[in-house]
Amino acid sequence: MSHNGNRHPSKKPKLAGVEPVLGSTRSQSSTGKAAQKKAALKKQLVRQNVEKPIRRKNPEDGHPSSKDKGQKATTSKLSSVLKVPTKAKDSKMANDGGRLLVVAGCYEKILYGLEIDLQRREKGEEGEERAGFTPVFVFPAHISCVKAVAASRPSGKWLASGGTDESIKIWDLRRRKELGSLQQHQGSVTHLSFPTRTHLLSASEDGTICVYHTRDWAVLATLRGHKDRVNDVAVHPSAKVCLSVGKDRTLRMWDLMRGKGSASVKLGKEGEGVRWTSSGTRFAVISASTLDIYSTKMALLQTIHHPARIQAIHFCRDQADREFALIAAEDKLVTIYLLPSLVEDAGDGDESSIPIVATLNGHTNRVKAIDSIIIQKTTYVTSVSSDGRIHLYDLTDILGWTGQSDPLSADPMAVYDTKGSRLTCVTVTDCGDTEMANSDGLPRKRKHTDESEGDEEEEEEEEEGEDIDGDD
């Protein structure tokens, strides 16, 4: 791991004229002429960095020119002392919460990054108005299948992707830059998530679960207990505990505060997926076409027998705290069930009291993964399918379902066609601090960065990660 104090010496000459202004503690009483020269330099730098853009794109190659890199580094240095706003800060202050970034991975090794402005509408093929995806980056991120992606929230700072090449790639979404890769696992990466903005959690076919700190990407804990591959992990909304299921047919609970296992239960069947409800009062385990819902005391409350094999499960709730289960399956649909309240749960595993609220339509092949986000009190769900399409749905009408009508049916508000990619995973985050990037992809990873780059506020130092050594 690299550290902020061990930056490449070649970066220092760029800031040689700035450092005395920012960091010198010597008295300025040497000569009046030197003091005037220093003040003039400071005034010139402030004026230069306010009037000029922080980052420009070179029209010849689509990447920041070397001159602009030095300009951005200088601006970031000044912003920490002289309060000159950086472009990322301006973007954050101007953003009204109406933009999302959807990132999807596929068997073809490619990462698709799509931005959508929820306030903007375009005319569709039939004249209807709908939101449209704008490709931000499309590039091969791994040397084999991408199986998991995760973005930190809020204001998507970090993106992590993992696959069958056993590596986890880390990306800085604000700077559109690759930080490097984590090589902790000895098997395919099966799960990635950010329980908080400062921690990353990964699981693998090697039977381990790892927890990293995003400040230096050091491994804080390696959780061992599964005797075979870990299929899925679910972190409780409190971020204090997590559940995992694996091929060894066990369900395990882990204490993330102490970094050790706290309980283990034999399921009698392989758990293929696990998720907590939004309230954290129940959790669900996927096995083939069956979804078992448990209480926190491990009591089986309900069982949903879905008509097709389940690929993914997600939960959301409305303003009245009603819990909804979203099931993505091989029937080409996302089916939404309304869970009974804990008071209504009989605990006998009967599914007769779990009504179907709605179905999300549009896919022509099995739905592989789903994710959701709440923006301005509106819940949006994104889904990916083996048909190569990425969908975004608005659940406003569905979450207002009262049970007095037949199940609803919803079409996507936005669609992006990858033209044949077999999509496997998806994540969504808001674009509060994200700059727009060229459609040709992320800038190439640099081996060294200025220690000022990306340091926007003193209180955000904990989430400013470092470049990762030994990733190539």
Side-chain angles (χ1 to χ4, degrees):
M1 298 291 172
S2 60
H3 299 280
N4 289 338
N6 296 328
R7 298 295 177 181
H8 198 279
S10 63
K11 294 293 181 180
K12 293 182 180 179
K14 291 185 179 180
L15 303 177
V18 185
E19 289 177 349
V21 180
L22 299 175
S24 177
T25 57
R26 294 177 298 177
S27 172
Q28 298 185 10
S29 60
S30 55
T31 61
K33 187 175 181 180
Q36 291 178 1
K37 184 177 180 181
K38 189 178 298 183
L41 174 61
K42 176 179 177 181
K43 184 176 180 180
Q44 179 182 359
L45 287 171
V46 173
R47 183 172 62 253
Q48 178 185 12
N49 289 299
V50 170
E51 295 176 352
K52 290 187 178 182
I54 296 172
R55 169 179 282 188
R56 293 195 303 268
K57 296 293 181 181
N58 190 329
E60 297 181 358
D61 59 6
H63 298 295
S65 63
S66 58
K67 181 179 180 180
D68 292 328
K69 292 177 184 177
Q71 175 71 25
K72 180 176 180 181
T74 303
T75 306
S76 298
K77 269 284 188 185
L78 290 171
S79 67
S80 62
V81 176
L82 306 178
K83 305 303 179 185
V84 179
T86 62
K87 187 171 183 179
K89 275 191 175 182
D90 291 340
S91 175
K92 181 177 182 179
M93 290 185 289
N95 180 56
D96 59 358
R99 292 186 298 124
L100 299 179
L101 179 68
V102 177
V103 181
C106 63
Y107 280 106
E108 288 75 18
K109 317 168 191 177
I110 298 174
L111 275 184
Y112 292 88
L114 311 173
E115 189 173 273
I116 183 169
D117 188 341
L118 301 172
Q119 310 301 325
R120 183 179 177 182
R121 293 292 185 270
E122 301 174 352
K123 286 190 176 181
E125 297 179 354
E126 300 180 359
E128 77 282 4
E129 290 189 352
R130 60 165 50 178
F133 283 115
T134 300
V136 177
F137 53 82
V138 178
F139 67 102
H142 291 260
I143 61 174
S144 58
C145 168
V146 181
K147 299 190 67 175
V149 289
S152 62
R153 297 179 190 172
S155 304
K157 166 68 175 174
W158 309 118
L159 172 68
S161 63
T164 56
D165 58 5
E166 304 181 358
S167 67
I168 300 172
K169 294 290 185 72
I170 305 296
W171 317 87
D172 186 328
L173 288 176
R174 293 181 189 169
R175 291 181 280 165
R176 296 291 184 231
K177 165 186 181 189
E178 179 188 349
L179 297 183
S181 62
L182 304 172
Q183 304 289 345
Q184 188 70 17
H185 292 295
Q186 303 299 316
S188 298
V189 178
T190 57
H191 171 86
L192 290 169
S193 62
F194 285 91
T196 68
R197 291 191 300 174
T198 57
H199 294 87
L200 169 67
L201 187 147
S202 67
S204 169
E205 289 186 354
D206 63 9
T208 64
I209 300 170
C210 294
V211 183
Y212 312 83
H213 199 297
T214 61
R215 183 170 187 176
D216 55 6
W217 302 105
V219 179
L220 299 180
T222 299
L223 309 178
R224 294 182 172 87
H226 284 284
K227 294 178 172 56
D228 210 316
R229 71 166 178 257
V230 180
N231 289 331
D232 199 12
V233 178
V235 179
H236 189 269
S238 68
K240 294 182 178 180
V241 298
C242 72
L243 299 172
S244 64
V245 291
K247 190 178 179 181
D248 58 5
R249 299 190 171 191
T250 63
L251 169 72
R252 294 181 179 271
M253 178 177 286
W254 307 90
D255 185 341
L256 295 179
M257 305 301 290
R258 296 186 298 170
K260 58 190 300 185
S262 58
S264 177
V265 176
K266 293 182 179 180
L267 295 175
K269 54 186 176 181
E270 181 177 351
E272 299 170 357
V274 60
R275 282 293 179 275
W276 287 97
T277 59
S278 302
S279 61
T281 56
R282 288 170 282 186
F283 64 89
V285 177
I286 301 172
S287 183
S289 60
T290 300
L291 184 72
D292 293 324
I293 302 173
Y294 295 86
S295 70
T296 55
K297 297 181 180 180
M298 290 300 300
L300 179 62
L301 301 177
Q302 303 285 340
T303 297
I304 297 176
H305 295 282
H306 198 68
R309 188 179 185 89
I310 300 174
Q311 293 289 328
I313 175 71
H314 202 77
F315 290 96
C316 63
R317 55 180 172 175
D318 62 7
Q319 297 297 319
D321 287 337
R322 296 187 301 172
E323 291 277 4
F324 295 83
L326 287 70
I327 295 180
E330 294 190 356
D331 56 4
K332 310 173 187 177
L333 301 171
V334 177
T335 305
I336 303 178
Y337 293 84
L338 174 60
L339 299 183
S341 66
L342 287 175
V343 177
E344 298 169 339
D345 279 329
D348 57 0
D350 183 19
E351 66 171 322
S352 60
S353 60
I354 306 181
I356 294 179
V357 174
T359 57
L360 306 183
N361 307 322
H363 288 295
T364 58
N365 206 329
R366 63 178 178 268
V367 183
K368 290 287 292 183
I370 52 178
D371 195 12
S372 71
I373 191 171
I374 299 176
I375 297 292
Q376 297 178 348
K377 297 183 180 181
T378 300
T379 300
Y380 297 93
V381 171
T382 182
S383 62
V384 296
S385 167
S386 297
D387 62 10
R389 290 184 173 89
I390 302 171
H391 289 180
L392 185 71
Y393 300 86
D394 183 340
L395 296 192
T396 300
D397 294 337
I398 293 175
L399 297 185
W401 187 76
T402 61
Q404 304 300 320
S405 62
D406 293 333
L408 304 176
S409 179
D411 293 324
M413 62 177 288
V415 177
Y416 181 84
D417 191 353
T418 64
K419 306 297 183 182
S421 293
R422 295 169 295 166
L423 299 170
T424 58
C425 51
V426 68
T427 186
V428 59
T429 186
D430 61 303
C431 297
D433 290 343
T434 306
E435 303 174 23
M436 283 295 294
N438 284 353
S439 58
D440 60 347
L442 297 171
R444 292 180 181 177
K445 186 181 77 68
R446 295 180 305 215
K447 292 184 179 180
H448 304 278
T449 60
D450 299 320
E451 61 182 355
S452 61
E453 193 170 356
D455 292 335
E456 299 173 0
E457 299 182 23
E458 183 177 351
E459 60 267 26
E460 291 187 357
E461 287 182 356
E462 283 293 322
E463 61 172 307
E464 294 296 338
E466 303 175 353
D467 286 0
I468 304 168
D469 294 331
D471 56 297
D472 295 328

